[in-house]
């Protein structure tokens, strides 16, 4: 089983990494890349049973993301 | 009078805190490894700066789940003063012992220099020897020190005097230029609802001897020692 968790800064939080990355895209000739946010992907490959949805949400909310500043989504890539 | 200085893998200001407490203030201070499950018998708990667990995932996110933090949470509920400096502040926010979060500095740089702070509340165990409006010169050293919280949280903090320190100019003005990292409302340090947990990004333990450029940080430790002596008597 493979689960992929995506964590991104909330739109209301200043993301200086995203701003710097957008600036660099302009150096590559993309004149107006718009808003860029830099987050992280956490991939979990587990030989065991898949936790239920509530448990997965709890793991994402309490450890993998900080709900004050970040949003998360997860997808089951392989079941 | 006994101080605990927590030590996580990657803590790197624990020795600074221990040395300051032992040599400058001549109190007993002991390191406490993060796997300990008790902090009983300590009058004050210090969570020092550093890069606990390599700042993996987010600063303080993994330290929050160390066994010692359960004991710290219980001590916080009992009213024991808990001082989190820099990474210690980040750990307290991740633990939910303080509201908000610390994110990447506005201009991305790691900043290591002295800044000016204005004392906003002198009724806490950490600041009782100070005066409101007093200006302190204390160093910062962080890459993720930009304090963030939503407006409702910020208003609650302000209304209850829970902003303990703000970044200011040399003259005490709260300006954008005096804000080194983009923290909302120039916030450098906050306390919890009961006033016994303080998180601050600047390092008072690095500013307790004039030969280090400033001894303004003494205020925090002298206040804590006075508070602990007062509580014990």
């Amino acid at each position: 089983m493979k689960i992929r968790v995506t964590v991104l800064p909330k739109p209301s939080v200043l993301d200086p990494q995203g701003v710097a990355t957008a600036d660099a895209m302009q150096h590559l000739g993309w004149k107006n890349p718009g808003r860029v946010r830099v987050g992280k992907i956490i991939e979990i490959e587990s030989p065991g049973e898949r936790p239920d949805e509530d448990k997965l949400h709890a793991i994402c909310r309490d450890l993998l993301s900080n709900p004050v500043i970040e949003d998360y989504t997860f997808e089951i890539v392989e079941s | 009078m006994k101080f605990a200085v927590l030590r996580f893998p990657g803590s790197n200001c624990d020795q600074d805190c221990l040395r300051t407490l032992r040599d400058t203030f001549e109190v007993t201070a002991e390191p406490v490894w993060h796997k300990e499950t008790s902090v009983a018998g300590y009058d004050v708990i210090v969570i020092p700066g550093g890069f606990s667990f390599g700042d993996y995932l987010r600063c303080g996110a993994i330290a929050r789940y160390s066994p010692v933090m359960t004991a710290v949470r219980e001590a916080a509920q009992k009213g024991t003063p808990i001082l989190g400096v820099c990474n210690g502040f980040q750990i307290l926010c991740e633990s939910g012992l303080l509201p908000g979060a610390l994110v990447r500095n506005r201009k991305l740089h790691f900043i290591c220099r002295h800044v000016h702070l204005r004392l906003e509340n002198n009724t806490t165990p950490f600041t009782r020897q100070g005066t409101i409006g007093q200006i302190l010169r204390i160093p910062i050293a962080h890459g993720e020190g930009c304090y963030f919280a939503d407006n409702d949280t910020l208003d609650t903090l302000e209304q209850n005097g829970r902003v303990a320190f703000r970044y200011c100019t040399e003259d005490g003005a709260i300006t954008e230029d005096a804000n080194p990292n983009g923290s909302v409302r120039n916030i450098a340090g906050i306390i919890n609802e009961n006033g016994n947990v303080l998180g601050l990004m600047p390092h008072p333990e690095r500013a307790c001897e004039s030969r280090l450029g400033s001894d303004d940080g003494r205020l925090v430790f002298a206040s804590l020692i006075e508070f602990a002596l007062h509580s014990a008597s």
Side-chain angles (χ1 to χ4, degrees):
Chain A
M1 169 194 52
K2 194 189 279 185
I3 302 164
R4 192 171 291 150
V5 180
T6 305
V7 179
L8 278 174
K10 277 185 194 295
S12 57
V13 176
L14 176 71
D15 176 18
Q17 287 188 90
V19 173
T21 306
D23 284 351
M25 288 177 180
Q26 293 182 31
H27 293 306
L28 284 171
W30 189 357
K31 288 212 166 55
N32 182 16
R35 179 173 192 153
V36 177
R37 285 186 293 158
V38 175
K40 54 178 82 92
I41 286 177
I42 298 143
E43 199 171 75
I44 307 159
E45 281 184 284
S46 172
E49 273 182 43
R50 188 206 308 174
D52 63 37
E53 291 247 326
D54 286 351
K55 186 74 188 164
L56 269 177
H57 278 295
I59 289 165
C60 290
R61 187 186 61 231
D62 297 340
L63 177 65
L64 301 182
S65 75
N66 179 343
V68 176
I69 47 171
E70 293 166 330
D71 294 322
Y72 70 84
T73 54
F74 64 76
E75 56 179 324
I76 314 294
V77 185
E78 287 166 19
S79 50
Chain B
M1 168 74 55
K2 209 160 73 164
F3 279 69
V5 177
L6 304 192
R7 197 178 259 171
F8 298 88
S11 294
N12 70 2
C13 299
D14 44 331
Q15 289 295 350
D16 305 47
C17 290
L18 290 166
R19 185 189 177 284
T20 296
L21 288 163
R22 290 169 176 166
D23 295 356
T24 309
F25 292 95
E26 300 182 335
V27 295
T28 304
E30 295 173 351
V32 173
W33 184 236
H34 75 114
K35 293 212 166 156
E36 295 293 334
T37 53
S38 168
V39 287
Y42 292 105
D43 301 290
V44 179
I45 297 162
V46 180
I47 311 181
F51 301 84
S52 58
F53 295 93
D55 279 351
Y56 293 167
L57 203 56
R58 292 177 309 282
C59 307
I62 297 181
R64 171 216 170 155
Y65 287 103
S66 279
V68 77
M69 289 308 294
T70 305
V72 168
R73 190 179 299 275
E74 286 164 11
Q77 278 161 5
K78 285 184 199 152
T80 305
I82 294 164
L83 168 65
V85 174
C86 198
N87 188 221
F89 187 8
Q90 295 164 340
I91 293 170
L92 288 170
C93 286
E94 282 285 340
S95 305
L97 286 168
L98 290 173
L102 292 141
V103 298
R104 188 65 69 97
N105 294 344
R106 177 178 42 190
K107 289 178 183 165
L108 290 166
H109 295 287
F110 187 98
I111 312 168
C112 186
R113 64 176 167 86
H114 281 77
V115 297
H116 292 95
L117 304 174
R118 194 171 80 185
L119 177 58
E120 305 282 67
N121 180 340
N122 67 344
T123 63
T124 79
F126 314 89
T127 56
R128 54 192 273 148
Q129 290 196 355
T131 49
I132 288 179
Q134 185 175 345
I135 299 158
L136 308 175
R137 190 170 163 273
I138 293 183
I140 54 169
H142 58 242
E144 282 91 1
C146 173
Y147 183 72
F148 175 84
D150 62 46
N151 279 325
D152 287 348
T153 304
L154 292 169
D155 290 342
T156 305
L157 287 174
E158 305 253 22
Q159 282 157 16
N160 295 289
R162 289 172 55 192
V163 177
F165 295 100
R166 270 184 235 270
Y167 300 107
C168 68
T169 63
E170 200 174 346
D171 307 320
I174 307 298
T175 66
E176 201 51 37
D177 285 348
N179 185 343
N181 52 30
S183 291
V184 286
R185 304 189 193 183
N186 281 47
I187 289 173
I190 55 166
I191 53 171
N192 68 340
E193 204 171 350
N194 291 330
N196 66 311
V197 178
L198 170 70
L200 82 165
M201 287 313 295
H203 288 267
E205 79 281 6
R206 294 189 191 176
C208 287
E209 292 174 46
S210 52
R211 62 182 165 173
L212 295 179
S214 166
D215 61 0
D216 291 353
R218 281 174 178 254
L219 169 77
V220 173
F221 298 103
S223 295
L224 276 168
I225 290 165
E226 187 190 60
F227 176 84
L229 286 173
H230 195 259
S231 308
S233 60

